[in-house]
Amino acid sequence: AQSVWGYDKENGPEHWHQNYPMAKGDKQSPIEINSKDVRHDTSLSPWHASYDPGAAKTILNNGRTCRVVFDDTFDRSVLRGGPLTGAYRLRQLHLHWGSADDHGSEHVIDGVKYAAELHLVHWNPKHGNFAGALKQPDGVAVVGVFLKVGKTPKPEMKRILEEIDNIKTKGKEAPFQHFDPSILFPKSRDYWTYHGSFTTPPCEECITWILLREPIEVSPDQMARLRSLSKNGENEPMCPLVDNWRPLQPVKGRIVRASFK
Ligand code: SG7
Ligand code: ZN
């Protein structure tokens, strides 16, 4: 079986439930969004992010993703509105990506897999701390942004991708300061929302997902940079960090709502 979870045959998503039974729960993520089953909800208000560039701290490679960490000791970078009640604090962002452009996202839209998916993870401070929030159905809100390879790449992704050369291998960390992640959002604020889980063990079912309809574009070069990360440590055999996405989970009667028609 698995020693530590991962995305390989021996320790991948099909094994996670052995150590993390929640992985077989009724509200797991990701799911496929089917336009024909989505409910347009006129009561869904727009969402707003107000992020403090000074909250950005470090970027790191943990062997499973690359992650940017933010100071969340007070309400300095917050997400409000949309399906949420109150302000949720930004804790970190990270990405999931594939080994080729035709897959890599976790959520799938009408059968379409994107090349990558960016997740901005926020938590509800009414639960005291992040660990407490994970135990509550309204504990966490994740904004998902799809990345597709295209001709008008978003220069805003550059900051993160430039830094990748400094965190090539597992365990590497570099300072990452003065960064407002709202520069990564697409023009349209349209979104889908549903209740689900973390897409990694222990797969707690505490997430209000807010998935943005409009993807952002990255260049082939930028995708290549992401794929140049390694899941091995510095003095270990080279093993590319790619395909760090969980496959689709059963919807089990959940309703996906859309802010748009
Ligand atoms: C990534 O996705 C990491 C995890 C994150 C996980 O593997 O960014 O974060 C850490 C601290 O390793 O797990 C608890 C948590 O944030 C799952 O997040 S996701 O559901 O948005 N994909
Ligand atoms: Zn994620």
Side-chain angles (χ1 to χ4, degrees), residues 205-220:
E205 296 179 337
C206 60
I207 303 201
T208 303
W209 281 95
I210 299 173
L211 299 170
L212 306 192
R213 182 186 57 82
E214 186 188 347
I216 61 170
E217 289 193 11
V218 293
S219 65

Side-chain angles (χ1 to χ4, degrees), residues 35-260:
S35 302
K36 63 168 185 9
D37 302 328
V38 163
R39 192 174 293 171
H40 170 62
D41 186 341
T42 51
S43 73
L44 278 174
S45 55
W47 56 275
H48 306 277
S50 64
Y51 294 154
D52 172 358
K57 295 199 300 190
T58 55
I59 187 165
L60 63 113
N61 173 347
N62 69 356
R64 293 169 181 144
T65 186
C66 90
R67 177 165 94 229
V68 177
V69 179
F70 299 86
D71 173 23
D72 62 354
T73 55
F74 62 101
D75 277 2
R76 70 190 292 200
S77 282
V78 294
L79 180 72
R80 286 193 189 84
L84 307 175
T85 303
Y88 283 60
R89 280 184 204 168
L90 178 64
R91 182 174 177 85
Q92 53 113 329
L93 67 78
H94 63 268
L95 296 121
H96 304 265
W97 61 92
S99 46
D101 295 351
D102 63 354
H103 64 276
S105 65
E106 298 206 295
H107 291 89
V108 174
I109 310 298
D110 293 324
V112 174
K113 293 178 167 184
Y114 287 97
E117 188 172 331
L118 167 69
H119 288 156
L120 297 111
V121 181
H122 310 74
W123 59 282
N124 192 337
K126 84 173 185 191
H127 302 305
N129 54 34
F130 186 65
L134 300 186
K135 300 190 180 83
Q136 305 297 331
D138 66 347
V140 177
V142 180
V143 176
V145 182
F146 298 108
L147 275 63
K148 72 172 201 184
V149 178
K151 293 197 175 63
T152 45
K154 229 183 162 44
E156 290 81 359
M157 272 302 287
K158 261 177 94 170
R159 240 335 267 295
I160 293 179
L161 296 165
E162 267 166 13
E163 215 52 61
I164 273 177
D165 289 337
N166 300 323
I167 55 157
K168 281 281 180 216
T169 49
K170 178 173 135 185
K172 286 219 164 192
E173 184 165 356
F176 196 81
Q177 280 151 357
H178 202 84
F179 179 72
D180 176 354
S182 67
I183 63 171
L184 302 173
F185 293 142
K187 284 192 293 305
S188 168
R189 293 300 164 113
D190 291 351
Y191 64 91
W192 296 281
T193 184
Y194 78 97
H195 195 261
S197 74
F198 278 106
T199 63
T200 63
C203 304
E204 299 96 331
E205 296 179 337
C206 60
I207 303 201
T208 303
W209 281 95
I210 299 173
L211 299 170
L212 306 192
R213 182 186 57 82
E214 186 188 347
I216 61 170
E217 289 193 11
V218 293
S219 65
D221 201 67
Q222 288 175 330
M223 273 313 300
R225 280 211 174 200
L226 213 44
R227 296 185 189 118
S228 75
L229 285 165
S230 300
K231 57 185 173 190
N232 51 277
E234 191 161 23
N235 296 312
E236 293 166 10
M238 161 75 178
C239 190
L241 173 51
V242 291
D243 290 323
N244 55 356
W245 48 277
R246 186 188 196 189
L248 294 174
Q249 301 300 306
V251 175
K252 301 207 176 177
R254 283 175 289 175
I255 302 292
V256 177
R257 295 181 295 154
S259 70
F260 61 94

